Amino acid sequence: MSCSPENEKLNWTMWSETFRNSIDDEAQFTDDHEDNFCRIIPIISQHIHLVTREYAARSYPLSDIEVHLHDIWYACIQAGRHIWGSTAEPNTLVVALASLKVTGPLLRPSQRLPDSGDAKESVTFSDNREFWSDLPLFAGSLVDEFTHRFHQPDYGAGYCFNLATFVGRLLSVGIFDGPAICVLSLFRETLEVSHPLSETDEDAEQIEASAAKRIPTFEDRLYTLGETIRLARTSLVILVSNRATTDKIDYTDFPQLSSLGELALKAGIDPSSTLGYSRERWNFWIQRLEELQKSEIENIQIQARGCLGEMREPAEDTALLL
């Protein structure tokens, strides 16, 4: 006996909740083990294989596959958030996603012509992206994480570092759709929004808190930005020079991530002509880091100098911003 549409939808919802709960348990396992071994990555690989098989079967509607895709991207984001970003382990997942893009776009049996035998067609998902070449629904999931959670004070300094550097790694292998605007928001929040440079009383109270969960200080933000720049490298110059043709996100839909911050506006950058990456904005970031390099706080000096070096070297090597 077949399930009613209502019961089938309920089954998918229950399966999704169970899957995400298991991912949360694995994320906690990753936090609890000093070797930072993450068991989420093998789970992601298994479900990518499952979803690929479902996509190729005529009996699975795209709406059901989208449920699985959302869960896979949830798992990827949790892995990126919990695997320590200073280790090489995130590279395993980054390489897997880059390789996945190369397999697409995949065709599936025609739904429009069910009696057409071997006829196959390419379809797009609800976000107008193809399978797997566009990593459908991934950009939206990642942007949602940065829009509603990442920049909140209680997200955790260590988790911010981990996810930001994971996204920087994604940029480095040419995955721009989603990661690009997320890294832009990191520049915006760190260099275009005013923050106290010195430690506040609230920061001091968190000394005993774990690095992963404490509220990030400005030094934390600057260090995270520097490591993200180091990992993204030439990809940032490609974005600033407007050569990233695979970035499909409409930045106007996410002003909280892409619009100019207060310091950039005070510097006279025209908000009507600058939304997203631009040479004018890049130059402002350089100027802001040069100012921070003169800070009385030694760690901020060091981190600002590191950011400047990581930005200038690929720009000079490629000559894309001349």
Side-chain angles (χ1 to χ4, degrees):
M1 181 182 296
S2 61
C3 294
S4 67
E6 292 79 9
N7 287 338
E8 189 170 345
K9 183 177 181 180
L10 179 61
N11 289 339
W12 280 108
T13 301
M14 293 175 62
W15 186 94
S16 180
E17 290 177 355
T18 301
F19 175 81
R20 294 192 181 208
N21 287 337
S22 70
I23 292 299
D24 292 341
D25 290 341
E26 294 299 338
Q28 186 61 53
F29 173 88
T30 302
D31 285 349
D32 292 341
H33 287 73
E34 292 184 0
D35 60 5
N36 205 229
F37 173 71
C38 182
R39 300 186 301 196
I40 299 177
I41 296 177
I43 296 174
I44 293 171
S45 297
Q46 292 169 5
H47 281 77
I48 286 174
H49 175 74
L50 171 65
V51 171
T52 302
R53 190 171 59 189
E54 289 180 354
Y55 175 84
R58 184 177 303 178
S59 58
Y60 285 93
L62 288 185
S63 58
D64 291 348
I65 295 175
E66 288 201 358
V67 173
H68 278 314
L69 286 173
H70 280 298
D71 290 332
I72 287 172
W73 303 141
Y74 176 83
C76 285
I77 290 169
Q78 292 307 307
R81 184 183 182 212
H82 288 269
I83 300 174
W84 189 240
S86 59
T87 70
E89 190 169 1
N91 293 338
T92 303
L93 183 54
V94 170
V95 170
L97 294 180
S99 300
L100 194 60
K101 282 177 61 68
V102 179
T103 65
L106 293 182
L107 303 179
R108 71 186 320 231
S110 176
Q111 304 294 301
R112 295 177 294 104
L113 303 171
D115 299 323
S116 58
D118 295 331
K120 294 183 180 295
E121 62 181 351
S122 176
V123 298
T124 56
F125 286 80
S126 59
D127 63 349
N128 293 317
R129 288 164 174 81
E130 292 184 296
F131 189 94
W132 284 106
S133 55
D134 296 328
L135 300 181
L137 307 180
F138 175 64
S141 296
L142 188 62
V143 168
D144 183 73
E145 182 75 11
F146 272 73
T147 301
H148 299 293
R149 288 173 286 280
F150 180 87
H151 291 294
Q152 298 302 311
D154 60 355
Y155 196 80
Y159 294 145
C160 285
F161 174 82
N162 294 342
L163 187 58
T165 51
F166 172 66
V167 172
R169 285 177 162 96
L170 291 175
L171 280 184
S172 73
V173 296
I175 300 178
F176 293 104
D177 194 20
I181 192 173
C182 293
V183 171
L184 175 64
S185 75
L186 194 63
F187 274 100
R188 179 189 186 278
E189 182 65 26
T190 307
L191 300 179
E192 298 181 2
V193 175
S194 180
H195 298 282
L197 301 188
S198 58
E199 192 177 77
T200 65
D201 292 339
E202 186 177 7
D203 296 331
E205 292 175 359
Q206 296 188 86
I207 291 177
E208 299 301 323
S210 69
K213 298 179 181 179
R214 62 179 171 79
I215 296 174
T217 64
F218 182 74
E219 288 185 32
D220 292 326
R221 297 177 190 277
L222 196 56
Y223 177 68
T224 294
L225 177 65
E227 287 299 291
T228 304
I229 295 170
R230 181 182 66 81
L231 291 164
R233 295 288 291 173
T234 307
S235 298
L236 291 173
V237 180
I238 292 171
L239 286 163
V240 174
S241 62
N242 199 30
R243 286 173 166 81
T245 57
T246 58
D247 186 9
K248 298 183 178 182
I249 290 286
D250 185 349
Y251 284 28
T252 60
D253 291 338
F254 305 98
Q256 63 272 56
L257 299 182
S258 63
S259 63
L260 293 172
E262 61 193 68
L263 298 179
L265 290 170
K266 288 180 180 178
I269 300 178
D270 183 2
S272 64
S273 62
T274 306
L275 187 67
Y277 290 89
S278 69
R279 285 175 170 81
E280 190 176 11
R281 206 166 188 176
W282 177 270
N283 291 336
F284 170 79
W285 297 336
I286 294 287
Q287 179 184 353
R288 177 77 175 122
L289 288 166
E290 288 173 342
E291 294 172 357
L292 291 170
Q293 200 175 203
K294 301 173 184 177
S295 168
E296 296 179 356
I297 302 172
E298 184 178 5
N299 282 345
I300 290 180
Q301 292 178 20
I302 294 171
Q303 291 162 17
R305 188 180 308 119
C307 288
L308 283 168
E310 296 294 349
M311 291 173 69
R312 284 170 170 161
E313 185 175 340
E316 292 170 358
D317 289 347
T318 61
L320 289 176
L321 301 183
L322 295 179

